[in-house]
Coordinates of all heavy atoms in Angstrom, one line a residue:
M1 N -0.8 -22.2 9.0 CA -1.4 -21.2 8.2 C -2.3 -21.9 7.2 O -1.9 -22.8 6.6 CB -0.3 -20.4 7.5 CG -0.9 -19.3 6.7 SD -0.3 -17.7 7.4 CE -1.3 -16.6 6.6
S2 N -3.4 -21.3 6.9 CA -4.4 -21.8 6.0 C -4.1 -21.4 4.6 O -3.4 -20.4 4.3 CB -5.8 -21.3 6.3 OG -6.2 -21.8 7.7
S3 N -4.6 -22.2 3.7 CA -4.4 -21.8 2.3 C -5.3 -20.7 1.9 O -6.3 -20.4 2.6 CB -4.7 -23.0 1.4 OG -6.0 -23.2 1.3
A4 N -5.0 -20.0 0.8 CA -5.9 -18.9 0.4 C -7.2 -19.4 0.1 O -8.2 -18.7 0.4 CB -5.2 -18.3 -0.9
N5 N -7.4 -20.6 -0.5 CA -8.7 -21.1 -0.8 C -9.5 -21.3 0.5 O -10.7 -21.0 0.4 CB -8.6 -22.4 -1.6 CG -8.1 -22.2 -3.0 OD1 -8.2 -21.1 -3.5 ND2 -7.6 -23.3 -3.6
E6 N -8.9 -21.7 1.5 CA -9.6 -21.9 2.8 C -10.1 -20.6 3.4 O -11.2 -20.5 3.9 CB -8.7 -22.7 3.8 CG -8.5 -24.1 3.4 CD -7.5 -24.8 4.4 OE1 -6.6 -24.1 4.9 OE2 -7.7 -26.0 4.6
L7 N -9.2 -19.6 3.3 CA -9.7 -18.3 3.8 C -10.8 -17.7 2.9 O -11.7 -17.1 3.4 CB -8.4 -17.3 3.8 CG -7.5 -17.4 4.9 CD1 -6.3 -16.5 4.8 CD2 -8.2 -17.3 6.2
V8 N -10.7 -17.9 1.6 CA -11.8 -17.4 0.7 C -13.1 -18.0 1.1 O -14.1 -17.4 1.2 CB -11.4 -17.6 -0.8 CG1 -12.6 -17.5 -1.7 CG2 -10.2 -16.7 -1.2
F9 N -13.0 -19.4 1.3 CA -14.2 -20.1 1.6 C -14.8 -19.6 3.0 O -16.0 -19.4 3.1 CB -13.9 -21.6 1.7 CG -15.1 -22.4 2.0 CD1 -16.1 -22.7 1.1 CD2 -15.3 -22.9 3.3 CE1 -17.3 -23.4 1.4 CE2 -16.5 -23.6 3.7 CZ -17.4 -23.9 2.7
A10 N -13.9 -19.4 3.9 CA -14.3 -18.9 5.2 C -15.0 -17.5 5.2 O -16.0 -17.3 5.7 CB -13.1 -18.8 6.2
Y11 N -14.4 -16.6 4.3 CA -14.9 -15.3 4.2 C -16.3 -15.4 3.5 O -17.2 -14.7 3.9 CB -14.0 -14.4 3.4 CG -14.5 -13.0 3.2 CD1 -14.3 -12.1 4.3 CD2 -15.1 -12.5 2.1 CE1 -14.8 -10.8 4.2 CE2 -15.6 -11.3 2.0 CZ -15.4 -10.4 3.0 OH -15.9 -9.1 2.9
R12 N -16.4 -16.2 2.5 CA -17.7 -16.3 1.8 C -18.7 -16.9 2.8 O -20.0 -16.5 2.7 CB -17.6 -17.3 0.6 CG -16.9 -16.7 -0.5 CD -16.8 -17.8 -1.6 NE -16.9 -17.2 -2.9 CZ -16.7 -17.9 -4.0 NH1 -16.5 -19.2 -3.9 NH2 -16.8 -17.3 -5.1
S13 N -18.4 -17.7 3.7 CA -19.4 -18.3 4.6 C -19.9 -17.2 5.6 O -21.0 -17.4 6.2 CB -18.8 -19.5 5.4 OG -17.9 -19.0 6.4
L14 N -19.3 -16.1 5.7 CA -19.7 -15.0 6.6 C -20.9 -14.4 5.9 O -21.7 -13.6 6.7 CB -18.7 -14.0 6.8 CG -17.4 -14.5 7.6 CD1 -16.3 -13.4 7.6 CD2 -17.7 -14.9 8.9
W15 N -21.1 -14.4 4.7 CA -22.1 -13.7 3.9 C -23.1 -14.7 3.3 O -22.8 -15.2 2.2 CB -21.5 -12.8 2.8 CG -20.5 -11.8 3.4 CD1 -19.2 -11.9 3.4 CD2 -20.8 -10.6 4.0 NE1 -18.6 -10.8 4.0 CE2 -19.7 -10.0 4.4 CE3 -22.0 -10.0 4.3 CZ2 -19.6 -8.8 5.0 CZ3 -22.0 -8.7 4.9 CH2 -20.8 -8.2 5.3
K16 N -24.2 -14.9 3.9 CA -25.2 -15.9 3.4 C -25.9 -15.4 2.2 O -26.2 -16.1 1.3 CB -26.2 -16.3 4.5 CG -25.5 -16.9 5.7 CD -24.8 -18.2 5.5 CE -24.3 -18.7 6.7 NZ -23.1 -19.5 6.6
N17 N -26.3 -14.1 2.2 CA -27.2 -13.6 1.1 C -26.5 -12.6 0.2 O -27.1 -11.8 -0.3 CB -28.4 -12.9 1.8 CG -29.2 -14.0 2.6 OD1 -29.4 -15.1 2.1 ND2 -29.7 -13.5 3.7
R18 N -25.2 -12.7 0.1 CA -24.5 -11.7 -0.7 C -23.7 -12.5 -1.8 O -23.0 -13.4 -1.5 CB -23.5 -10.9 0.2 CG -22.8 -9.8 -0.6 CD -21.8 -9.1 0.2 NE -22.5 -8.1 1.0 CZ -21.8 -7.2 1.8 NH1 -20.5 -7.2 1.8 NH2 -22.5 -6.4 2.6
Q19 N -23.8 -12.0 -2.9 CA -23.1 -12.5 -4.1 C -21.7 -12.0 -4.1 O -21.5 -10.8 -4.2 CB -23.8 -12.2 -5.4 CG -23.2 -12.8 -6.6 CD -23.5 -14.3 -6.8 OE1 -24.1 -14.9 -5.9 NE2 -23.1 -14.9 -7.8
L20 N -20.7 -12.8 -3.9 CA -19.3 -12.4 -3.8 C -18.5 -13.0 -4.9 O -18.5 -14.2 -5.1 CB -18.6 -12.7 -2.4 CG -19.3 -12.1 -1.2 CD1 -18.7 -12.8 0.0 CD2 -19.0 -10.6 -1.2
D21 N -17.7 -12.1 -5.6 CA -16.8 -12.6 -6.7 C -15.4 -12.7 -6.0 O -14.5 -12.0 -6.3 CB -16.8 -11.7 -7.9 CG -18.1 -11.7 -8.6 OD1 -18.7 -12.8 -8.6 OD2 -18.5 -10.7 -9.2
V22 N -15.3 -13.6 -5.0 CA -14.0 -13.8 -4.3 C -13.5 -15.2 -4.6 O -14.2 -16.1 -4.2 CB -14.3 -13.5 -2.8 CG1 -13.0 -13.8 -2.0 CG2 -14.8 -12.2 -2.6
D23 N -12.4 -15.3 -5.3 CA -11.9 -16.6 -5.5 C -10.4 -16.7 -5.3 O -9.8 -17.8 -5.5 CB -12.3 -17.0 -7.0 CG -11.8 -15.9 -8.0 OD1 -11.1 -15.0 -7.6 OD2 -12.2 -16.0 -9.2
D24 N -9.7 -15.7 -4.9 CA -8.3 -15.7 -4.6 C -8.0 -14.7 -3.6 O -8.8 -13.9 -3.1 CB -7.4 -15.6 -5.9 CG -7.6 -14.3 -6.5 OD1 -8.2 -13.3 -6.0 OD2 -7.3 -14.2 -7.7
L25 N -6.7 -14.6 -3.1 CA -6.3 -13.7 -2.0 C -6.5 -12.2 -2.4 O -6.9 -11.4 -1.7 CB -4.9 -14.0 -1.6 CG -4.5 -13.6 -0.2 CD1 -5.5 -14.1 0.8 CD2 -3.1 -14.1 0.2
S26 N -6.2 -12.0 -3.7 CA -6.3 -10.6 -4.2 C -7.8 -10.1 -4.1 O -8.0 -9.0 -3.7 CB -5.7 -10.6 -5.7 OG -6.0 -9.3 -6.2
S27 N -8.7 -11.0 -4.7 CA -10.1 -10.6 -4.6 C -10.6 -10.5 -3.2 O -11.5 -9.8 -2.9 CB -10.9 -11.4 -5.5 OG -10.8 -12.8 -5.2
L28 N -10.0 -11.4 -2.3 CA -10.5 -11.4 -0.9 C -10.0 -10.0 -0.3 O -10.9 -9.4 0.4 CB -9.8 -12.5 -0.1 CG -10.0 -12.5 1.4 CD1 -11.5 -12.6 1.7 CD2 -9.3 -13.7 2.0
N29 N -8.9 -9.6 -0.6 CA -8.4 -8.3 0.0 C -9.3 -7.1 -0.6 O -9.6 -6.2 0.2 CB -6.9 -8.0 -0.3 CG -6.0 -8.7 0.7 OD1 -6.2 -8.5 1.8 ND2 -5.1 -9.5 0.2
E30 N -9.7 -7.2 -1.8 CA -10.5 -6.2 -2.4 C -11.9 -6.2 -1.8 O -12.5 -5.2 -1.5 CB -10.7 -6.5 -3.9 CG -11.3 -5.4 -4.7 CD -11.3 -5.7 -6.2 OE1 -10.3 -6.1 -6.7 OE2 -12.4 -5.4 -6.8
A31 N -12.4 -7.4 -1.5 CA -13.7 -7.5 -0.8 C -13.7 -6.9 0.5 O -14.6 -6.3 1.0 CB -14.2 -9.0 -0.8
I32 N -12.6 -7.2 1.3 CA -12.5 -6.6 2.6 C -12.4 -5.1 2.5 O -13.0 -4.4 3.3 CB -11.2 -7.2 3.3 CG1 -11.4 -8.7 3.6 CG2 -10.8 -6.4 4.6 CD1 -10.3 -9.5 4.1
R33 N -11.6 -4.6 1.6 CA -11.5 -3.2 1.4 C -12.9 -2.5 1.1 O -13.3 -1.6 1.7 CB -10.6 -2.9 0.1 CG -10.4 -1.4 -0.2 CD -9.6 -1.2 -1.5 NE -10.0 0.0 -2.1 CZ -11.1 0.1 -2.9 NH1 -11.9 -0.9 -3.1 NH2 -11.4 1.3 -3.5
D34 N -13.7 -3.2 0.2 CA -15.0 -2.7 -0.1 C -15.9 -2.7 1.1 O -16.7 -1.8 1.3 CB -15.6 -3.5 -1.2 CG -15.0 -3.2 -2.6 OD1 -14.3 -2.2 -2.7 OD2 -15.3 -4.0 -3.6
D35 N -15.8 -3.8 1.9 CA -16.6 -3.9 3.1 C -16.2 -2.8 4.1 O -17.2 -2.1 4.7 CB -16.4 -5.3 3.7 CG -17.4 -5.5 5.0 OD1 -18.5 -5.0 4.9 OD2 -16.8 -6.0 5.9
L36 N -15.0 -2.5 4.3 CA -14.6 -1.5 5.3 C -14.9 -0.1 4.8 O -15.2 0.8 5.6 CB -13.1 -1.6 5.5 CG -12.6 -2.8 6.3 CD1 -11.1 -2.8 6.4 CD2 -13.2 -2.8 7.7
L37 N -14.9 0.1 3.5 CA -15.3 1.4 2.9 C -16.8 1.5 2.8 O -17.3 2.6 2.4 CB -14.6 1.6 1.6 CG -13.1 1.8 1.6 CD1 -12.5 1.9 0.2 CD2 -12.8 3.0 2.4
D38 N -17.5 0.4 3.1 CA -19.0 0.5 3.0 C -19.5 0.8 1.6 O -20.4 1.5 1.4 CB -19.6 1.4 4.0 CG -20.9 1.0 4.6 OD1 -21.4 -0.1 4.3 OD2 -21.4 1.7 5.4
A39 N -18.7 0.3 0.6 CA -18.9 0.5 -0.8 C -20.3 0.1 -1.4 O -20.8 0.7 -2.3 CB -17.8 -0.1 -1.7
R40 N -20.9 -0.8 -0.7 CA -22.3 -1.3 -1.2 C -23.4 -0.5 -0.6 O -24.5 -0.8 -0.8 CB -22.4 -2.8 -0.9 CG -21.5 -3.7 -1.6 CD -21.7 -5.1 -1.1 NE -21.0 -6.0 -1.9 CZ -21.5 -6.9 -2.8 NH1 -22.8 -6.8 -3.0 NH2 -20.8 -7.7 -3.5
T41 N -23.1 0.5 0.2 CA -24.1 1.3 0.8 C -24.2 2.7 0.2 O -23.2 3.2 -0.3 CB -23.7 1.5 2.3 OG1 -23.6 0.2 2.9 CG2 -24.8 2.2 3.1
H42 N -25.4 3.3 0.2 CA -25.5 4.6 -0.3 C -24.7 5.6 0.5 O -24.5 5.4 1.7 CB -27.0 5.1 -0.2 CG -27.3 6.3 -0.9 ND1 -27.0 7.6 -0.3 CD2 -27.8 6.6 -2.1 CE1 -27.3 8.6 -1.1 NE2 -27.9 8.0 -2.2
P43 N -24.0 6.5 -0.2 CA -23.0 7.4 0.5 C -23.6 8.1 1.7 O -22.8 8.3 2.7 CB -22.7 8.5 -0.6 CG -22.9 7.7 -1.9 CD -24.0 6.8 -1.7
R44 N -24.8 8.5 1.8 CA -25.3 9.1 3.0 C -25.6 8.2 4.1 O -25.8 8.6 5.2 CB -26.6 9.9 2.6 CG -26.3 11.2 1.9 CD -27.6 11.9 1.7 NE -28.0 11.8 0.3 CZ -29.2 12.0 -0.2 NH1 -30.2 12.4 0.6 NH2 -29.4 11.8 -1.4
A45 N -25.6 6.9 3.8 CA -25.9 5.9 4.9 C -24.6 5.2 5.4 O -24.7 4.3 6.2 CB -26.9 4.9 4.4
R46 N -23.5 5.5 4.8 CA -22.3 4.8 5.1 C -21.8 5.0 6.5 O -21.9 6.1 7.1 CB -21.1 5.2 4.1 CG -21.4 4.7 2.8 CD -20.3 5.0 1.8 NE -20.6 4.4 0.5 CZ -20.2 4.8 -0.6 NH1 -19.3 5.9 -0.7 NH2 -20.5 4.2 -1.8
K47 N -21.2 4.0 7.1 CA -20.6 4.1 8.4 C -19.1 4.4 8.2 O -18.5 4.2 7.2 CB -20.8 2.7 9.1 CG -22.2 2.4 9.4 CD -22.3 1.0 10.1 CE -23.6 0.5 10.4 NZ -24.8 1.3 10.2
S48 N -18.4 4.8 9.3 CA -17.0 5.1 9.3 C -16.2 3.8 9.2 O -16.7 2.7 9.4 CB -16.6 5.8 10.6 OG -16.6 4.9 11.7
L49 N -15.0 3.9 8.8 CA -14.1 2.8 8.7 C -14.0 2.0 10.1 O -14.1 0.8 10.0 CB -12.6 3.3 8.5 CG -12.3 3.6 7.0 CD1 -10.9 4.2 6.9 CD2 -12.3 2.4 6.1
H50 N -13.9 2.7 11.1 CA -13.8 2.1 12.5 C -15.1 1.3 12.8 O -15.1 0.2 13.3 CB -13.4 3.1 13.5 CG -12.0 3.6 13.4 ND1 -11.8 4.7 12.7 CD2 -10.9 3.1 13.8 CE1 -10.5 4.9 12.6 NE2 -9.9 3.9 13.3
E51 N -16.2 1.9 12.5 CA -17.5 1.2 12.7 C -17.6 -0.1 11.9 O -18.0 -1.1 12.5 CB -18.7 2.1 12.4 CG -19.0 3.2 13.4 CD -20.1 4.1 12.9 OE1 -19.9 4.9 12.0 OE2 -21.2 4.1 13.6
K52 N -17.2 0.1 10.6 CA -17.3 -1.1 9.8 C -16.3 -2.2 10.2 O -16.6 -3.4 10.1 CB -17.0 -0.7 8.3 CG -18.1 0.0 7.7 CD -19.4 -0.8 7.6 CE -19.3 -1.9 6.7 NZ -20.6 -2.6 6.5
Y53 N -15.1 -1.8 10.7 CA -14.1 -2.7 11.2 C -14.7 -3.5 12.4 O -14.6 -4.7 12.5 CB -12.9 -2.0 11.6 CG -11.8 -2.9 12.2 CD1 -11.1 -3.8 11.5 CD2 -11.7 -2.9 13.6 CE1 -10.1 -4.6 12.1 CE2 -10.8 -3.8 14.2 CZ -10.0 -4.6 13.5 OH -9.0 -5.4 14.0
V54 N -15.3 -2.8 13.3 CA -15.9 -3.4 14.5 C -17.0 -4.4 14.1 O -17.0 -5.5 14.6 CB -16.4 -2.4 15.6 CG1 -17.2 -3.1 16.6 CG2 -15.2 -1.6 16.1
L55 N -17.8 -4.0 13.2 CA -18.9 -4.9 12.7 C -18.3 -6.1 12.1 O -18.8 -7.2 12.2 CB -19.8 -4.1 11.8 CG -20.7 -3.1 12.4 CD1 -21.4 -2.3 11.3 CD2 -21.7 -3.6 13.4
A56 N -17.3 -6.0 11.3 CA -16.6 -7.1 10.6 C -16.0 -8.1 11.6 O -16.2 -9.3 11.5 CB -15.6 -6.6 9.6
V57 N -15.3 -7.6 12.6 CA -14.7 -8.4 13.6 C -15.8 -9.2 14.4 O -15.7 -10.4 14.7 CB -13.8 -7.6 14.6 CG1 -13.4 -8.4 15.8 CG2 -12.6 -7.1 13.8
E58 N -16.9 -8.5 14.8 CA -18.0 -9.1 15.4 C -18.6 -10.2 14.6 O -18.9 -11.3 15.1 CB -19.0 -8.1 15.8 CG -18.6 -7.2 16.9 CD -19.6 -6.1 17.3 OE1 -20.6 -5.9 16.4 OE2 -19.5 -5.5 18.3
R59 N -18.8 -9.9 13.3 CA -19.4 -10.9 12.4 C -18.4 -12.2 12.4 O -18.9 -13.3 12.4 CB -19.5 -10.4 11.0 CG -20.2 -11.3 10.0 CD -20.4 -10.7 8.6 NE -20.5 -9.2 8.5 CZ -19.6 -8.4 8.2 NH1 -18.4 -8.8 7.9 NH2 -19.9 -7.1 8.1
I60 N -17.1 -11.9 12.3 CA -16.2 -13.0 12.2 C -16.3 -13.9 13.5 O -16.3 -15.1 13.5 CB -14.8 -12.5 11.9 CG1 -14.7 -11.9 10.5 CG2 -13.7 -13.6 12.1 CD1 -13.4 -11.1 10.2
L61 N -16.2 -13.1 14.6 CA -16.1 -13.9 15.9 C -17.4 -14.6 16.2 O -17.4 -15.7 16.8 CB -15.8 -12.9 17.1 CG -14.4 -12.3 17.0 CD1 -14.3 -11.3 18.1 CD2 -13.4 -13.4 17.2
E62 N -18.5 -14.1 15.7 CA -19.8 -14.8 16.0 C -20.1 -15.9 15.0 O -21.1 -16.6 15.1 CB -20.9 -13.8 16.0 CG -20.9 -12.8 17.2 CD -21.8 -11.6 17.1 OE1 -22.5 -11.5 16.1 OE2 -21.8 -10.7 18.0
S63 N -19.3 -16.1 14.0 CA -19.5 -17.1 13.0 C -19.0 -18.5 13.4 O -18.4 -18.6 14.4 CB -18.7 -16.7 11.7 OG -17.4 -16.9 11.9
A64 N -19.4 -19.5 12.6 CA -18.9 -20.8 12.9 C -17.6 -21.1 12.2 O -17.1 -22.3 12.2 CB -20.0 -21.8 12.4
V65 N -16.9 -20.1 11.7 CA -15.6 -20.3 11.0 C -14.6 -20.8 12.1 O -14.7 -20.3 13.2 CB -15.2 -18.9 10.4 CG1 -13.8 -19.0 9.9 CG2 -16.2 -18.5 9.3
E66 N -13.7 -21.6 11.6 CA -12.7 -22.2 12.5 C -11.9 -21.0 13.2 O -11.7 -20.0 12.5 CB -11.8 -23.1 11.8 CG -12.3 -24.4 11.3 CD -11.3 -25.2 10.6 OE1 -10.1 -25.1 10.9 OE2 -11.7 -26.0 9.6
H67 N -11.5 -21.3 14.4 CA -10.8 -20.2 15.2 C -9.5 -19.7 14.4 O -9.3 -18.5 14.3 CB -10.4 -20.7 16.5 CG -9.8 -19.8 17.5 ND1 -10.5 -18.7 18.0 CD2 -8.5 -19.6 17.8 CE1 -9.6 -18.0 18.7 NE2 -8.4 -18.5 18.6
D68 N -8.8 -20.6 13.9 CA -7.5 -20.2 13.1 C -7.9 -19.3 11.9 O -7.3 -18.3 11.7 CB -6.8 -21.5 12.6 CG -5.5 -21.1 11.9 OD1 -4.7 -20.3 12.4 OD2 -5.3 -21.6 10.8
H69 N -9.0 -19.6 11.2 CA -9.4 -18.8 10.1 C -10.0 -17.5 10.6 O -9.8 -16.4 9.9 CB -10.5 -19.5 9.3 CG -9.9 -20.7 8.6 ND1 -10.7 -21.8 8.2 CD2 -8.7 -21.0 8.1 CE1 -10.0 -22.7 7.6 NE2 -8.7 -22.2 7.5
Q70 N -10.7 -17.5 11.7 CA -11.2 -16.3 12.3 C -10.0 -15.3 12.6 O -10.1 -14.1 12.2 CB -11.9 -16.5 13.6 CG -13.3 -17.1 13.5 CD -14.0 -17.4 14.8 OE1 -13.3 -17.3 15.9 NE2 -15.3 -17.6 14.7
L71 N -8.9 -15.8 13.2 CA -7.8 -14.9 13.5 C -7.2 -14.4 12.2 O -6.8 -13.2 12.2 CB -6.8 -15.7 14.3 CG -7.2 -16.1 15.7 CD1 -6.1 -17.0 16.4 CD2 -7.5 -14.9 16.6
Q72 N -7.1 -15.2 11.2 CA -6.5 -14.8 9.9 C -7.3 -13.8 9.3 O -6.8 -12.8 8.7 CB -6.2 -16.0 9.1 CG -5.0 -16.9 9.6 CD -4.9 -18.1 8.7 OE1 -4.7 -17.9 7.5 NE2 -4.9 -19.3 9.3
L73 N -8.6 -13.9 9.2 CA -9.5 -12.9 8.7 C -9.5 -11.6 9.4 O -9.5 -10.5 8.8 CB -10.9 -13.5 8.6 CG -11.2 -14.6 7.5 CD1 -12.6 -15.2 7.7 CD2 -11.0 -14.0 6.2
I74 N -9.4 -11.7 10.7 CA -9.3 -10.5 11.5 C -8.0 -9.8 11.2 O -7.9 -8.5 11.1 CB -9.5 -10.7 13.0 CG1 -10.9 -11.2 13.4 CG2 -9.1 -9.6 13.9 CD1 -11.1 -11.7 14.7
S75 N -6.9 -10.5 11.1 CA -5.6 -10.0 10.7 C -5.7 -9.3 9.4 O -5.2 -8.1 9.2 CB -4.6 -11.0 10.7 OG -3.3 -10.6 10.3
L76 N -6.3 -9.9 8.4 CA -6.5 -9.3 7.1 C -7.3 -8.0 7.2 O -6.9 -6.9 6.5 CB -7.1 -10.2 6.1 CG -6.3 -11.4 5.6 CD1 -7.2 -12.3 4.8 CD2 -5.1 -10.9 4.8
H77 N -8.3 -8.0 8.0 CA -9.1 -6.8 8.2 C -8.3 -5.7 8.8 O -8.4 -4.5 8.5 CB -10.4 -7.1 9.0 CG -11.5 -7.6 8.2 ND1 -11.5 -9.0 7.8 CD2 -12.7 -7.1 7.7 CE1 -12.7 -9.2 7.1 NE2 -13.4 -8.1 7.1
T78 N -7.5 -6.0 9.8 CA -6.7 -5.1 10.5 C -5.7 -4.4 9.6 O -5.5 -3.2 9.6 CB -6.1 -5.8 11.8 OG1 -7.1 -6.3 12.6 CG2 -5.2 -4.8 12.5
K79 N -5.0 -5.3 8.8 CA -4.0 -4.7 7.9 C -4.7 -3.8 6.9 O -4.1 -2.8 6.6 CB -3.3 -5.9 7.1 CG -2.4 -6.7 8.0 CD -1.8 -7.9 7.3 CE -1.0 -8.7 8.2 NZ -0.6 -10.0 7.5
K80 N -5.8 -4.2 6.4 CA -6.5 -3.3 5.4 C -7.0 -2.1 6.0 O -6.9 -1.0 5.4 CB -7.7 -4.1 4.8 CG -8.4 -3.4 3.7 CD -7.4 -3.0 2.5 CE -6.8 -4.1 1.7 NZ -6.0 -3.7 0.6
L81 N -7.5 -2.1 7.2 CA -7.9 -0.8 8.0 C -6.7 0.1 8.1 O -6.8 1.3 7.8 CB -8.5 -1.2 9.3 CG -8.8 0.0 10.2 CD1 -10.0 0.7 9.6 CD2 -9.1 -0.5 11.6
R82 N -5.6 -0.4 8.5 CA -4.4 0.4 8.7 C -3.9 1.0 7.4 O -3.6 2.2 7.3 CB -3.3 -0.4 9.3 CG -3.4 -0.7 10.8 CD -2.2 -1.5 11.3 NE -2.4 -1.7 12.8 CZ -2.0 -2.7 13.4 NH1 -1.4 -3.7 12.7 NH2 -2.2 -2.9 14.6
E83 N -4.0 0.2 6.3 CA -3.6 0.7 5.0 C -4.6 1.9 4.6 O -4.2 2.9 4.0 CB -3.8 -0.4 4.0 CG -3.4 -0.1 2.6 CD -3.6 -1.3 1.7 OE1 -3.0 -2.3 2.0 OE2 -4.3 -1.2 0.7
L84 N -5.9 1.6 4.8 CA -6.8 2.7 4.4 C -6.7 3.9 5.2 O -6.8 5.0 4.7 CB -8.3 2.1 4.5 CG -8.7 1.0 3.5 CD1 -10.0 0.3 3.9 CD2 -8.7 1.6 2.1
I85 N -6.4 3.8 6.5 CA -6.2 5.0 7.4 C -5.0 5.7 6.9 O -5.0 7.0 6.8 CB -6.1 4.6 8.8 CG1 -7.5 4.1 9.3 CG2 -5.6 5.8 9.7 CD1 -7.4 3.5 10.7
Q86 N -3.9 5.0 6.6 CA -2.7 5.6 6.1 C -3.0 6.4 4.8 O -2.5 7.5 4.6 CB -1.6 4.5 6.0 CG -0.3 5.1 5.8 CD 0.8 4.0 5.9 OE1 0.6 2.9 5.3 NE2 1.9 4.2 6.6
N87 N -3.6 5.7 3.9 CA -3.9 6.4 2.6 C -4.8 7.6 2.8 O -4.7 8.6 2.1 CB -4.6 5.4 1.6 CG -3.6 4.3 1.1 OD1 -2.4 4.5 1.2 ND2 -4.2 3.2 0.7
E88 N -5.7 7.5 3.7 CA -6.7 8.6 4.0 C -5.9 9.8 4.5 O -6.1 11.0 4.1 CB -7.7 8.2 5.0 CG -8.8 9.2 5.2 CD -9.9 8.6 6.2 OE1 -9.6 8.7 7.4 OE2 -10.9 8.2 5.8
G89 N -4.9 9.5 5.3 CA -4.0 10.6 5.8 C -3.2 11.3 4.8 O -3.0 12.5 4.7
R90 N -2.7 10.5 3.8 CA -2.0 11.1 2.6 C -2.9 11.9 1.8 O -2.5 12.9 1.2 CB -1.4 9.9 1.8 CG -0.3 9.2 2.5 CD 0.3 8.2 1.5 NE 1.2 7.4 2.2 CZ 1.3 6.1 2.0 NH1 0.6 5.5 1.0 NH2 2.1 5.3 2.7
N91 N -4.2 11.5 1.6 CA -5.0 12.3 0.8 C -5.4 13.6 1.4 O -5.9 14.5 0.7 CB -6.3 11.4 0.5 CG -6.0 10.2 -0.3 OD1 -5.0 10.2 -1.1 ND2 -6.9 9.3 -0.3
H92 N -5.3 13.8 2.7 CA -5.7 15.0 3.4 C -4.5 15.9 3.6 O -4.7 16.9 4.2 CB -6.4 14.7 4.7 CG -7.8 14.0 4.5 ND1 -8.8 14.6 3.8 CD2 -8.2 12.9 4.9 CE1 -9.8 13.9 3.8 NE2 -9.5 12.7 4.5
S93 N -3.3 15.4 3.2 CA -2.1 16.3 3.5 C -2.0 17.4 2.5 O -2.3 17.3 1.4 CB -0.9 15.3 3.5 OG -1.0 14.4 4.4

């Protein structure tokens, strides 16, 4: 298992032209959440959670990030997606 710092560095390397305030596991999870929610995009142009998840996984797999880090980043994205879907279901109940 990689250290949190290695995962943070791996995630940052996915974004060449984006300023990210990601320096620990907590801020990494927040950045993943924001990415999946398409928070940096105008509300009318936002994609669905599932579309953003697929794009994120593709970006990770097409990157030069080490295979182990890729799997861990995909795992973090998957956990966050499930959490967001679960929360979305509660909000509509």
